[in-house]
Amino acid sequence: MPKVTIAQNILAANDTIAGEIQQLLAARGIRTINVMSSPGAGKTTLLERTIEQLRGQLDIGVIEGDIETSADAERIEAAGAETVQINTRGACHLEAHMIRAALEEIDLTHISLLVIENIGNLVCPSAWNLGEDMRVVVVSTTEGDDKPAKYPQMFAASQVMIVNKLDLLPYVDYNVEKVKRQALAINPHLRIFEVSCRTGTGLDTWCEWLMRYVHSIPG
Amino acid sequence: MPKVTIAQNILAANDTIAGEIQQLLAARGIRTINVMSSPGAGKTTLLERTIEQLRGQLDIGVIEGDIETSADAERIEAAGAETVQINTRGACHLEAHMIRAALEEIDLTHISLLVIENIGNLVCPSAWNLGEDMRVVVVSTTEGDDKPAKYPQMFAASQVMIVNKLDLLPYVDYNVEKVKRQALAINPHLRIFEVSCRTGTGLDTWCEWLMRYVHSIPG
């Protein structure tokens, strides 16, 4: 069949601001993770469960990115984390200057982990550095098991992949091993967790690892 | 909670090309639809089932947008439609100049319906006119029932919403009526279909409507 290829560079002009954010947060001993996924893969529910499970053990602050609405931020705040809402009003990803503005609204003195929940989008957010230490991509068993191959930049740019909605595996055509193979072919260093935020499967392993990650911070 | 709002205009600089495409296709009596959704909502499977069901009744051509891979185009071609693959190499949406290039590779003489399958992305594609007559947004019951409220531009810019994966309703927390209410509040003229591409539920109604839509073309 005929193919038409269009080359396009997505240039990250915000790297300078991202570098300043990273320095600011590192100086305060705060680890920062940038959580990305398709719409509806379960980022917010994963954060709710993580915050609930680590309550009393880890002080978590959250920056919630959404195009419109503050429904997710309200859920996160109800789960017990200090939360700042960013509404991008149409923009499909967060940028470093938005994070810099949000940081002025959050009390950093008690926080050891800052979580940035990006816009639901498996494409654009991967190109924008927000000053994070780690990128987490969430996929779910209902999205089809071809996502790493179809959206490789997201998986190349992440350090962790979380496969969510394990509870729905009996009802969908989804091969977890195939997804892991695809993702590891793109990024052999990817750390993979398999969870169900609905039943709780796998959340202990994820939360324990996250605790160790946060406390391994140097200085 | 504190809120930070960032205004950003997404300007559709490609409207002139889109207008030319629309004229070209209208002059040939071809109706064109632009199908959009989150990654994994089921666009490709919906097209496969639609092509199979309308074989012999409607000649369909397909332009398949993907960042990488031609897996979807191969599926569509196997289903029996003439197919052109566009690989955007990182770009998160199709633009009119890509469609113009793809049209040079497709034989338009036998086609009465041209389907453009956009990149899996519920944000950016809504801002780019491709010369289509109608926009179709596909949502699925596994994505959470807050998508119209969270991604309103997509629903405001579409004429049809298809709710897919009805077969998974017993296993997820998803209120179809809530989604329909949200979507209609944004866009009261939205035509809504409910289907399961896995079991076939609702596909007859959708295909019959699509046939009528294509044949109602004036001139």
Side-chain angles (χ1 to χ4, degrees), chain A residues 105-142:
Chain A
E105 304 291 340
I106 199 164
D107 179 5
L108 296 172
T109 48
H110 302 296
I111 290 172
S112 41
L113 174 66
L114 177 67
V115 180
I116 303 168
E117 183 179 338
N118 220 310
I119 305 294
N121 182 339
L122 216 44
V123 191
C124 318
S126 70
W128 298 84
N129 186 359
L130 305 179
E132 70 273 26
D133 299 303
M134 181 170 78
R135 293 182 176 191
V136 177
V137 56
V138 182
V139 295
S140 72
T141 62
T142 57

Side-chain angles (χ1 to χ4, degrees), chain A residues 12-25 94-104 116 128-132:
Chain A
N14 73 332
D15 278 359
T16 307
I17 301 172
E20 291 166 8
I21 291 169
Q22 191 154 35
Q23 282 189 350
L24 168 79
L25 294 169
L94 296 176
E95 301 182 15
H97 70 92
M98 304 177 190
I99 304 304
R100 184 171 58 188
L103 286 175
E104 290 174 11
I116 303 168
W128 298 84
N129 186 359
L130 305 179
E132 70 273 26

Side-chain angles (χ1 to χ4, degrees), chain A residues 12 67 73 107 130 146 158 181 183 195 209:
Chain A
I67 295 176
D107 179 5
L130 305 179
D146 55 359
S158 295
R181 268 200 313 275
V195 309
W209 183 85

Side-chain angles (χ1 to χ4, degrees), chain A:
Chain A
M1 91 200 60
K3 296 189 185 188
V4 178
T5 299
I6 290 96
Q8 178 164 328
N9 286 323
I10 300 177
L11 296 171
N14 73 332
D15 278 359
T16 307
I17 301 172
E20 291 166 8
I21 291 169
Q22 191 154 35
Q23 282 189 350
L24 168 79
L25 294 169
R28 287 177 168 273
I30 298 171
R31 284 246 154 150
T32 305
I33 67 176
N34 178 1
V35 182
M36 300 176 283
S37 79
S38 300
K43 291 184 299 302
T44 310
T45 309
L46 176 72
L47 289 186
E48 285 178 308
R49 299 287 166 273
T50 302
I51 290 163
E52 287 160 7
Q53 190 143 344
L54 293 178
R55 188 175 294 148
Q57 299 176 71
L58 192 63
D59 284 320
I60 302 177
V62 178
I63 297 176
E64 266 297 321
D66 273 300
I67 295 176
E68 306 278 351
T69 82
S70 55
D72 286 357
E74 286 157 18
R75 286 170 57 189
I76 294 298
E77 200 156 57
E82 185 172 355
T83 308
V84 181
Q85 174 77 58
I86 297 178
N87 277 136
T88 65
R89 301 275 188 241
C92 58
H93 58 272
L94 296 176
E95 301 182 15
H97 70 92
M98 304 177 190
I99 304 304
R100 184 171 58 188
L103 286 175
E104 290 174 11
E105 304 291 340
I106 199 164
D107 179 5
L108 296 172
T109 48
H110 302 296
I111 290 172
S112 41
L113 174 66
L114 177 67
V115 180
I116 303 168
E117 183 179 338
N118 220 310
I119 305 294
N121 182 339
L122 216 44
V123 191
C124 318
S126 70
W128 298 84
N129 186 359
L130 305 179
E132 70 273 26
D133 299 303
M134 181 170 78
R135 293 182 176 191
V136 177
V137 56
V138 182
V139 295
S140 72
T141 62
T142 57
E143 295 172 4
D145 53 18
D146 55 359
K147 293 300 158 285
K150 294 189 69 179
Y151 302 87
Q153 291 92 333
M154 180 59 78
F155 297 83
S158 295
Q159 287 75 50
V160 170
M161 174 173 82
I162 296 181
V163 183
N164 188 23
K165 307 193 188 179
L166 281 193
D167 55 295
L168 294 176
L169 271 180
Y171 314 112
V172 293
D173 300 316
Y174 191 89
N175 185 333
V176 177
E177 295 307 315
K178 177 182 159 191
V179 172
K180 290 160 73 175
R181 268 200 313 275
Q182 275 181 15
L184 290 169
I186 294 162
N187 181 351
H189 302 295
L190 205 57
R191 178 101 196 188
I192 300 173
F193 297 90
E194 299 172 40
V195 309
S196 164
C197 289
R198 202 170 193 219
T199 66
T201 305
L203 288 177
D204 281 354
T205 308
W206 155 246
C207 287
E208 285 163 19
W209 183 85
L210 186 62
M211 279 288 285
R212 286 202 305 278
Y213 173 76
V214 172
H215 290 136
S216 71
I217 193 163

Side-chain angles (χ1 to χ4, degrees), chain B residues 42-106:
Chain B
K43 290 184 298 304
T44 311
T45 309
L46 175 71
L47 289 187
E48 285 178 308
R49 298 288 166 274
T50 303
I51 291 163
E52 286 159 8
Q53 191 143 342
L54 294 177
R55 188 174 296 148
Q57 298 176 71
L58 192 63
D59 284 320
I60 302 177
V62 178
I63 296 177
E64 265 298 320
D66 274 301
I67 295 175
E68 306 277 352
T69 82
S70 56
D72 286 357
E74 286 157 18
R75 286 170 56 190
I76 295 298
E77 199 155 57
E82 185 173 354
T83 309
V84 180
Q85 173 77 58
I86 296 178
N87 279 136
T88 64
R89 301 274 187 245
C92 57
H93 58 274
L94 295 177
E95 301 181 16
H97 69 91
M98 303 178 190
I99 304 303
R100 184 171 57 188
L103 286 175
E104 292 175 10
E105 304 291 339
I106 200 164

